[in-house]
């Protein structure tokens, strides 16, 4: 028997004895002085070394579990926030629509002598936001060209083309193609007539000229439509004077008028019948 074989046999015997003693020590609770302590001394570092990866994996499992829980909570919170934002936007839209409807109702009550056709804005694209819109009223509803359109308590446009179920309204905020409308300003029981002739995009105000009087026009004076031409309904609110561009003879003055209607939120409308 060579030396290597002897070492293998000796090692095997030592391993068997060690395992037997280990079984007796841990399994049966038998304590062998010195030998048990020696086994503990030898195996304790091995046990600690093997326990560290297990402990690390256990800790990482807890961390991973916390991350997954945080991810799920974050996902749920995002869905909640998105739902709340949608509800807030819908609420804001409903509030604006209700306010527009109340103002339309107030216009009808204020002008009981006029015939109003109520409707809604059906199309208003960003490309032509300040130029025109399409309403859900047409020939079948009694709408015809050149009728005035009011919304949010003031004049906003004029009908330019009509189909059976819809009509195109040119907005008065359209500074490129402005339809002139006769107006009047009441001052101390006297009326000064003029023409609503344009829209100033810098000040977001109407421009009125061709005034037929030289009287001073105070800031804040009410401007309404006039039926002097015979084709336009009278006394439809346009806005209030915010500035006067003077001239030497006071006849060539220009009035800048703040619109009574809010052009940014047009929902319900009224077409004014002749």
């Amino acid at each position: 028997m060579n030396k290597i074989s002897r070492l293998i046999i000796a090692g095997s015997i030592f391993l068997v004895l060690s395992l037997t003693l280990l079984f007796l020590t841990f399994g049966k609770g038998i304590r062998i002085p010195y030998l048990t302590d020696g086994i503990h001394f030898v195996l304790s570092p091995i046990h600690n070394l093997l326990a560290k990866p297990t402990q690390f994996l256990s800790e990482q499992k807890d961390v991973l579990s916390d991350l997954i829980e945080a991810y799920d909570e974050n996902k749920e919170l995002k869905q909640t926030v998105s739902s709340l934002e949608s509800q807030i936007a819908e609420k804001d839209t409903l509030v604006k629509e209700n306010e527009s409807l109340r103002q339309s109702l107030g216009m009808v009550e204020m002008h009981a002598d006029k015939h109003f056709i109520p409707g809604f804005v059906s199309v208003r694209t960003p490309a032509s936001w300040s130029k025109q819109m399409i309403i859900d009223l047409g020939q079948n509803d009694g709408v015809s060209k050149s009728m005035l359109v009011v919304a949010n308590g003031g004049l906003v446009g004029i009908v330019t083309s009509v189909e059976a179920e819809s009509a195109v309204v040119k907005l008065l905020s359209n500074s490129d193609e402005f339809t002139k409308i006769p107006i009047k300003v009441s001052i101390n029981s006297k009326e000064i007539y003029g023409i609503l002739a344009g829209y100033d995009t810098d000040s977001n105000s109407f421009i009125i000229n061709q005034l037929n009087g030289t009287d001073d026009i105070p800031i804040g004076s009410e401007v309404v439509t006039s039926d002097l031409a015979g084709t336009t309904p009278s006394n439809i609110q346009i806005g209030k004077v915010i500035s006067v561009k003077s001239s030497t003879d006071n006849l060539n003055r220009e009035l800048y008028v703040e619109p009574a209607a809010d052009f940014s939120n047009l929902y319900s409308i009224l077409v004014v019948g002749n």
Side-chain angles (χ1 to χ4, degrees), residues 218-263:
I219 301 300
S221 298
E222 295 281 348
V223 179
V224 297
T225 60
S226 165
D227 59 354
L228 196 62
T231 57
T232 306
S234 62
N235 299 317
I236 301 299
Q237 190 174 13
I238 294 174
K240 294 182 178 181
V241 176
I242 56 174
S243 67
V244 180
K245 187 176 180 181
S246 301
S247 65
T248 55
D249 57 6
N250 265 3
L251 284 175
N252 293 320
R253 292 173 295 172
E254 285 187 337
L255 305 182
Y256 286 81
V257 176
E258 180 182 17
D262 181 7
F263 282 85

Side-chain angles (χ1 to χ4, degrees), residues 118-272:
F120 291 92
V121 176
S122 56
V123 178
R124 192 182 182 192
T125 63
S128 58
W129 188 260
S130 63
K131 296 182 178 180
Q132 68 178 31
M133 64 184 181
I134 298 175
I135 59 176
D136 62 350
L137 301 173
Q139 293 175 349
N140 295 343
D141 303 290
V143 176
S144 59
K145 288 181 63 175
S146 300
M147 280 187 168
L148 300 183
V149 178
V150 298
N152 298 338
L155 185 64
V156 296
I158 184 168
V159 177
T160 56
S161 65
V162 186
E163 301 293 337
E165 302 289 342
S166 64
V168 177
V169 177
K170 182 166 64 176
L171 297 172
L172 295 182
S173 57
N174 184 351
S175 59
D176 298 331
E177 301 176 7
F178 200 89
T179 300
K180 296 182 178 181
I181 299 172
I183 63 92
K184 63 182 178 181
V185 185
S186 297
I187 304 171
N188 298 326
S189 70
K190 182 178 180 181
E191 293 180 340
I192 297 178
Y193 293 89
I195 297 295
L196 182 61
Y199 184 83
D200 181 44
T201 55
D202 292 331
S203 60
N204 294 321
S205 58
F206 296 130
I207 301 172
I208 293 176
N209 54 29
Q210 300 183 38
L211 300 172
N212 73 332
T214 60
D215 300 77
D216 290 335
I217 299 177
I219 301 300
S221 298
E222 295 281 348
V223 179
V224 297
T225 60
S226 165
D227 59 354
L228 196 62
T231 57
T232 306
S234 62
N235 299 317
I236 301 299
Q237 190 174 13
I238 294 174
K240 294 182 178 181
V241 176
I242 56 174
S243 67
V244 180
K245 187 176 180 181
S246 301
S247 65
T248 55
D249 57 6
N250 265 3
L251 284 175
N252 293 320
R253 292 173 295 172
E254 285 187 337
L255 305 182
Y256 286 81
V257 176
E258 180 182 17
D262 181 7
F263 282 85
S264 62
N265 297 304
L266 298 177
Y267 297 100
S268 68
I269 56 91
L270 294 170
V271 177
V272 187

Side-chain angles (χ1 to χ4, degrees), residues 93-104 152 268:
T93 300
L94 289 174
V95 169
K96 292 175 181 177
E97 288 179 352
N98 288 338
E99 179 62 25
S100 180
L101 287 169
R102 279 195 293 268
Q103 290 177 335
S104 294
N152 298 338
S268 68

Side-chain angles (χ1 to χ4, degrees), residues 1-36:
M1 185 178 296
N2 55 31
K3 187 175 181 180
I4 295 176
S5 300
R6 292 176 181 175
L7 289 174
I8 293 174
I9 293 173
S12 300
I13 294 172
F14 176 76
L15 181 61
V16 171
L17 290 174
S18 298
L19 292 174
T20 302
L21 291 173
L22 183 63
F23 172 76
L24 292 174
T25 303
F26 290 99
K28 301 297 184 179
I30 301 174
R31 178 177 177 82
I32 303 174
Y34 300 108
L35 183 58
T36 301

